[in-house]
Amino acid sequence: MYTVKQIAEITGISSYTLRFYDKEGLFPHLNRDEQNRRLFSEADVSSIETIQDLRKMGFSLAQIRSYLGAEERSDAKVRRDIIMEQMDRLRSELAAVVRQMKMLQSKADLYEDMAERRQLTTETTSWIAA
């Protein structure tokens, strides 16, 4: 069994975040000692690794809670559905980013053209003045 401090050192997740995850219900079977301090098992360490992976993939805490519940029930279909929903969400976000990039490129091209025209105007004016 590991304390919050030990788990924080092992995983790199802050003690505050571990406590927050516990309050959010991500560790439903977390043990406690006589002083009511959290004690993490090897299974909890495995759950933390899963949580870290899911967070890196952009999952919300609610999605993670559902995923962990499905994992505990060995419900592969629910886990797959949760993953597919996240993939759909990310595809939508990616499409929005692509649209934003196109808009930015359009503006950059416009300003580049304006700068080139200004440069040509300046050069022409300088040549005429000479």
Side-chain angles (χ1 to χ4, degrees):
M1 299 299 252
Y2 303 97
T3 64
V4 170
K5 182 179 179 182
Q6 290 169 322
I7 289 295
E9 291 170 1
I10 291 168
T11 63
I13 297 176
S14 72
S15 298
Y16 173 83
T17 300
L18 290 166
R19 288 185 194 96
F20 177 74
Y21 286 171
D22 182 33
K23 289 176 186 172
E24 289 295 311
L26 299 184
F27 307 119
H29 307 294
L30 195 62
N31 292 308
R32 295 196 177 248
D33 67 11
E34 306 81 42
Q35 287 81 34
N36 203 33
R37 290 180 293 210
R38 294 167 179 87
L39 295 174
F40 293 83
S41 66
E42 289 296 330
D44 295 320
V45 173
S46 178
S47 290
I48 291 168
E49 291 168 354
T50 300
I51 292 167
Q52 286 178 303
D53 289 343
L54 295 172
R55 291 297 286 164
K56 288 175 189 172
M57 291 183 268
F59 282 76
S60 69
L61 292 181
Q63 289 172 302
I64 292 171
R65 192 178 312 107
S66 296
Y67 183 92
L68 292 174
E71 189 173 60
E72 187 175 325
R73 295 185 309 276
S74 299
D75 192 336
K77 183 186 179 321
V78 170
R79 285 183 283 176
R80 182 186 181 285
D81 290 347
I82 293 168
I83 288 171
M84 295 305 292
E85 287 172 13
Q86 182 63 8
M87 287 175 64
D88 289 343
R89 204 173 348 274
L90 290 175
R91 278 188 195 97
S92 294
E93 289 177 20
L94 180 58
V97 169
V98 168
R99 284 191 303 276
Q100 291 170 334
M101 291 295 294
K102 286 179 181 179
M103 290 172 64
L104 288 167
Q105 187 63 56
S106 175
K107 288 293 183 188
D109 292 346
L110 172 71
Y111 293 131
E112 184 175 344
D113 289 346
M114 289 172 66
E116 286 176 8
R117 274 187 259 134
R118 182 173 296 135
Q119 181 66 27
L120 286 174
T121 304
T122 304
E123 288 173 5
T124 304
T125 305
S126 298
W127 180 73
I128 293 173

